[in-house]
Amino acid sequence: MKTQSTERRAVRGHHGDLSVVLQGDPRAEVVVLSHSILSSSAMWEAQAALLAQQGWRVLCIDTTGHGDSPAPAGPVSMDGLATDTVAVLDALGIARAHYVGLSLGGMSGFGLGIRHAERVLSLVLCDARADAPPAVAAPWDERIALAQQHGSCAPLAAPTIERWFGKDFVAAQPAICQRLQSVAASTSVGGFVACARAIQGLDYVAAARAIRVPVTLVVGANDGVLPAAMQDLHERIAGSVLETVPDAGHLPNIDQPDRFNASLLGHFARLGL
């Protein structure tokens, strides 16, 4: 399969300018990839290349205040992040798209399926919950304070990578982890804080039953309480498929790429695509 060229484009989103990487056949059906907090579209490089090689048009969006997207001027909500995705589709003249989101990208993906169903062909939502009870919301206050105190996300970078992957993976794959740690450290404080506040306001569990597009839920088996949370969402979303990736943490596309890619391609195969 030939190497796919990429193009980076700036488009106007709900919260400000957004940097988008485009790859694959511009005439093909579109897959949007959305990343975790303290990350960027670089997290999806392997999957974007795979999907482009499979014949899809792929859009990787840098979330507001992350990667090459500047920090938002004001507050950010989860509904607003979903609206950012719609704004990208509007700017590129795309009526409907498949959507793949992980962590923060998965959270806003629930909002996309609930609030903007007419723009969605299908959803793959990974390692994401749809609510933020106190035990989930509270740790973000400490992380926000640390970033604001230092004027940088650098103090959050190493603990975040270890939390995502575990000490064994960090020790075994230093190059991968160092790259992701650098991306986390370079995230704008304004973007991190705004998106962390959006996570604290996450409240889609009750409305998740309204999602009617095809949904695959993917979760790393070792990702703390998320396997149980996503099992609950699977039971709420009619017709959804839940796939647990063995020996994977919070970013199964990175620590178990072959297994994750099989789940991703299996989603499209179930749709007859």
Side-chain angles (χ1 to χ4, degrees), residues 11-48:
V11 303
R12 188 68 179 172
H14 177 72
H15 295 106
D17 288 343
L18 296 170
S19 182
V20 183
V21 178
L22 297 83
Q23 192 169 349
D25 185 351
R27 301 162 298 180
E29 274 195 2
V30 174
V31 180
V32 174
L33 301 178
S34 183
H35 60 80
S36 66
I37 197 169
L38 288 172
S39 187
S40 76
S41 57
M43 188 194 88
W44 287 117
E45 279 183 358
Q47 286 71 38

Side-chain angles (χ1 to χ4, degrees), residues 7 20 44 61 66 90 103-104 148 185 210:
E7 173 192 357
V20 183
W44 287 117
I61 304 172
H66 290 67
D90 287 344
S103 190
L104 176 64
Q148 290 177 327

Side-chain angles (χ1 to χ4, degrees), residues 103-266:
S103 190
L104 176 64
M107 296 173 194
S108 65
F110 287 111
L112 189 67
I114 294 164
R115 311 286 193 226
H116 305 281
E118 74 284 355
R119 308 303 298 272
V120 181
L121 292 168
S122 73
L123 295 166
V124 181
L125 305 176
C126 315
D127 297 83
R129 60 187 307 134
D131 62 346
V136 171
W140 291 104
D141 286 329
E142 181 179 348
R143 296 166 191 159
I144 288 168
L146 189 61
Q148 290 177 327
Q149 176 187 346
H150 288 267
S152 167
C153 288
L156 302 173
T160 296
I161 300 306
E162 186 173 307
R163 190 168 60 250
W164 284 352
F165 296 109
K167 292 182 179 179
D168 290 345
F169 185 88
V170 171
Q173 301 290 345
I176 292 174
C177 292
Q178 184 56 53
R179 184 183 183 205
L180 291 169
Q181 187 170 319
S182 295
V183 173
S186 64
T187 301
S188 70
V189 173
F192 166 71
V193 170
C195 289
R197 294 298 187 202
I199 290 172
Q200 290 180 313
L202 179 64
D203 187 19
Y204 288 138
V205 167
R209 294 185 186 276
I211 297 175
R212 289 292 178 263
V213 299
V215 177
T216 296
L217 304 171
V218 181
V219 65
N222 301 334
D223 197 5
V225 300
L226 279 179
M230 297 199 79
Q231 174 66 40
D232 175 71
L233 288 163
H234 167 53
E235 293 169 5
R236 292 172 182 270
I237 301 172
S240 64
V241 173
L242 174 64
E243 299 211 353
T244 301
V245 181
D247 302 315
H250 192 55
L251 270 63
N253 66 310
I254 302 292
D255 61 7
Q256 293 293 337
D258 291 342
R259 290 169 172 170
F260 179 88
N261 291 348
S263 295
L264 179 60
L265 295 180

